[in-house]
Amino acid sequence: MKLSFPPVITLACLGMQFILYMMLPLEVNLSLLLGLILLIGSIALIVMAFKELQNYQTTYIPDGEPEKLVKTGPFKLTRNPIYLGMFGILIASSFLMQSISAMLIPILFLSIIENTWIPHEEEKLKEKFPDEWEEYISSTKRWLW
């Protein structure tokens, strides 16, 4: 058996983790750490999206009238960076609460937004920017998935 065989590497790394933990435990509540990282990242995503909309001088109001179809910045990765950031904040708060039941709320949020606001906004963009819109949706996912 090769030493570079992935299961062997995994077992060796697991052994190193255990040894390192015994020698230098440095314990931290990972759910709190992940929650803070996700919270900061989600807020940053929302701020970047707002700045990008501001750069193009178009509305950030969900029911507002768009002046331009923004396809740069965070809008290059996802068609809904602000909603994705809001979803991330809700997941982050679940981590910070250390509550599995609180994880149901981000799923509820996603379901509501996915079935109400997003279709409404996408229809408006499709009507106002028909050619650009088709190109945009073919190259950019609604979420990250």
Side-chain angles (χ1 to χ4, degrees):
M1 181 182 309
K2 291 180 169 180
L3 286 178
S4 64
F5 192 58
V8 173
I9 295 168
T10 303
L11 288 173
C13 287
L14 189 59
M16 286 187 281
Q17 275 183 319
F18 182 73
I19 291 167
L20 189 57
Y21 175 74
M22 297 306 287
M23 293 171 54
L24 188 65
L26 294 179
E27 294 178 9
V28 65
N29 185 326
L30 289 178
S31 67
L32 293 177
L33 181 63
L34 287 172
L36 284 173
I37 291 168
L38 186 56
L39 180 64
I40 292 166
S42 296
I43 291 170
L45 178 63
I46 291 170
V47 168
M48 288 187 304
F50 274 121
K51 284 186 177 183
E52 200 67 20
L53 291 171
Q54 192 175 34
N55 288 343
Y56 282 86
Q57 298 177 341
T58 191
T59 187
Y60 55 84
I61 299 169
D63 207 24
E65 200 55 44
E67 297 300 320
K68 296 183 179 122
L69 179 62
V70 179
K71 302 181 283 185
T72 57
F75 293 92
K76 196 173 190 172
L77 303 172
T78 171
R79 297 194 312 254
N80 298 288
I82 296 171
Y83 295 145
L84 184 61
M86 292 173 178
F87 177 68
I89 288 170
L90 293 171
I91 291 177
S93 67
S94 298
F95 276 106
L96 293 169
M97 291 177 205
Q98 299 180 18
S99 171
I100 290 179
S101 60
M103 279 291 198
L104 296 173
I105 303 307
I107 295 166
L108 175 65
F109 170 82
L110 200 63
S111 178
I112 292 169
I113 293 298
E114 181 83 26
N115 292 297
T116 58
W117 280 101
I118 290 176
H120 170 71
E121 290 175 352
E122 287 187 345
E123 188 60 37
K124 192 182 282 190
L125 291 167
K126 183 179 181 181
E127 286 175 14
K128 190 144 185 180
F129 313 102
D131 296 333
E132 279 184 274
W133 178 251
E134 290 304 318
E135 178 191 323
Y136 182 52
I137 64 169
S138 69
S139 64
T140 308
K141 295 180 188 240
R142 178 176 276 175
W143 301 102
L144 292 175
W145 52 90

